[in-house]
Amino acid sequence: MKALAAGIGVVFLSPILIAGTGMMLASSADAVQSSSSFSSCLTDIDTDEVAEQVTKILDGASGKNVHVEGLDLPAEQVPNAGTIVAAGLSLDVPRKGQIIALATAMQESRLRNLGYGDRDSLGLFQQRPSQGWGSAQQIRDPVYASEQFYKHLLKMSGWQQMTVAQAAQAVQRSAYPDAYAQWESLATALQDAIAKTFPGGGTDADSRDADQGEQASTGTSGCAPGQDGSGFGRIPEGSVPKGYAIPKDADPKARKAIEWAMHQLGTLYQWGGTCTNAHGPDPMGRCDCSSLMQQAYAHAGVTLTRTTYTQVNEGKAVSPAQLKPGDLVFSRGSAARPEHVGMYMGEGLVIEAPRTTKPVRITAIKDWTILAARRVL
């Protein structure tokens, strides 16, 4: 399949690549806006309709009478999506990886080969020459940019078990990590439609996923409920969701740590607080995110360092797909220097001291973009 896809890629990509170098047209001159949140997920995608419209574009339609929900310039965006899928097929990237790449490009550039961006960001994925992604000319090559994204993705341990948003964030390090999730349904529909235009493309992609034991992105997407804590519904701050119990197979020390942390629910966050008397009158006795972890484990007889920056080096690294009760999960910032930590409780839930003005609370893991996870037992 790899040799076949590579051959197909040469035929398919060459005209797109030529066109891609001239993408700085008036239609591409509008700035792509990023936002820290999104109002809804594109979940009601008619995949048959997407396939029909995509085929029209790939067959040379002008785009004037083509409509794909979520794409405002399909004549430009669909060929770029085709480049991303073809590059994935040529590299034998599983179907989910192609979906992650498409969702990333939709969020970063709206699938447009931009010659501008934040600071020196460029191209479909808004990659930066200053961050080692390549020269400006290379990054503006959609084939090169797609291949670089895939190469970085494939280096990420456990990426196939991450959500689409988590995997995209692991590569991109965006200031808006949750925004990738809104594009998952459309990215899936586009990948399905485009892969089918290659001989055996859709079938082989699906079989590769099955062969590699890939799990569908069901408990992890911001758009799809699953074993990600979403089954508990909205969890009032400071409360224990109805039906939750610490898993019976939890390590005894993890159980003690979780139980102690749960006794701090509802107490207000205090930056720099020691978490030694969260219910007392002194604000500095309250918890911040890392002191909650430190004191919870101290009551279980386990010594942890004080800060998030050092706790990320405690114990051993684990995949977000293999979390056990008591594992520490890290978000915000970067994997090497995260700015927030919580404790996985099992059942798709995390207990955390979130930030100033907020109480110690339990949240669904679907709301986390996990940069790192550590097992300290």
Side-chain angles (χ1 to χ4, degrees):
M1 173 61 190
K2 184 170 184 178
L4 175 61
I8 294 171
V10 171
V11 175
F12 184 82
L13 297 175
S14 295
I16 295 174
L17 176 55
I18 293 171
T21 59
M23 287 291 186
M24 280 301 290
L25 304 174
S27 63
S28 294
D30 298 329
V32 173
Q33 298 180 359
S34 295
S35 63
S36 59
S37 62
F38 49 92
S39 58
S40 63
C41 294
L42 295 170
T43 54
D44 298 325
I45 298 294
D46 185 334
T47 54
D48 291 337
E49 178 66 17
V50 169
E52 180 181 345
Q53 300 300 310
V54 165
T55 300
K56 288 180 181 179
I57 292 292
L58 296 181
D59 285 345
S62 66
K64 291 182 179 179
N65 297 317
V66 174
H67 173 72
V68 179
E69 184 179 1
L71 302 183
D72 54 356
L73 296 168
E76 177 181 345
Q77 294 162 310
V78 170
N80 284 331
T83 301
I84 293 170
V85 171
L89 290 172
S90 70
L91 293 173
D92 273 344
V93 176
R95 174 175 176 268
K96 181 175 179 179
Q98 297 169 39
I99 293 170
I100 292 167
L102 288 167
T104 300
M106 280 188 269
Q107 173 59 24
E108 296 292 349
S109 70
R110 299 301 187 266
L111 280 172
R112 295 154 66 188
N113 189 22
L114 300 177
Y116 57 88
D118 178 45
R119 288 168 283 190
D120 58 338
S121 300
L122 296 166
L124 289 175
F125 297 90
Q126 290 291 281
Q127 295 156 340
R128 299 177 59 190
S130 64
Q131 298 297 316
W133 286 94
S135 67
Q137 182 178 4
Q138 288 175 318
I139 292 171
R140 290 294 313 288
D141 175 346
V143 181
Y144 173 89
S146 300
E147 291 178 343
Q148 286 299 304
F149 179 86
Y150 286 129
K151 288 175 181 178
H152 282 74
L153 174 67
L154 295 174
K155 290 179 181 178
M156 295 290 173
S157 176
W159 70 267
Q160 292 193 46
Q161 286 73 45
M162 296 180 187
T163 71
V164 166
Q166 288 169 349
Q169 174 65 4
V171 176
Q172 298 292 109
R173 306 297 187 211
S174 169
Y176 309 112
D178 297 329
Y180 299 109
Q182 66 183 318
W183 302 108
E184 182 173 351
S185 294
L186 178 56
T188 300
L190 285 174
Q191 193 281 334
D192 288 343
I194 294 169
K196 289 175 182 176
T197 66
F198 296 99
T203 301
D204 287 352
D206 290 339
S207 65
R208 274 201 309 274
D209 290 350
D211 291 342
Q212 296 184 23
E214 180 173 337
Q215 300 175 357
S217 172
T218 60
T220 51
S221 166
C223 296
Q227 301 303 313
D228 56 3
S230 60
F232 290 101
R234 180 181 175 276
I235 304 172
E237 290 189 335
S239 69
V240 179
K242 184 178 180 180
Y244 171 77
I246 301 174
K248 293 180 180 179
D249 60 352
D251 183 286
K253 290 184 178 180
R255 178 179 294 276
K256 287 184 179 180
I258 293 170
E259 287 175 345
W260 189 89
M262 289 172 66
H263 281 97
Q264 317 314 312
L265 286 169
T267 61
L268 282 177
Y269 174 99
Q270 174 62 52
W271 186 84
T274 62
C275 203
T276 52
N277 188 12
H279 296 274
D282 183 1
M284 295 311 295
R286 299 173 189 162
C287 311
D288 63 15
C289 65
S290 54
S291 66
L292 178 63
M293 303 299 105
Q294 183 189 47
Q295 291 302 314
Y297 264 113
H299 285 78
V302 178
T303 300
L304 297 182
T305 52
R306 172 63 182 86
T307 70
T308 304
Y309 304 135
T310 55
Q311 288 177 0
V312 75
N313 297 313
E314 299 274 7
K316 64 179 181 180
V318 293
S319 166
Q322 299 174 330
L323 292 176
K324 293 182 178 181
D327 287 347
L328 305 185
V329 291
F330 298 84
S331 67
R332 306 176 197 164
S334 67
R337 193 172 174 79
E339 297 174 358
H340 186 56
V341 61
M343 184 183 298
Y344 185 63
M345 304 170 64
E347 304 297 328
L349 299 176
V350 180
I351 189 166
E352 62 170 345
R355 61 182 182 274
T356 302
T357 74
K358 292 290 185 178
V360 174
R361 65 186 183 185
I362 294 172
T363 53
I365 201 166
K366 72 179 181 62
D367 297 325
W368 283 64
T369 297
I370 300 176
L371 300 176
R374 307 291 294 192
R375 184 161 298 152
V376 299
L377 296 175

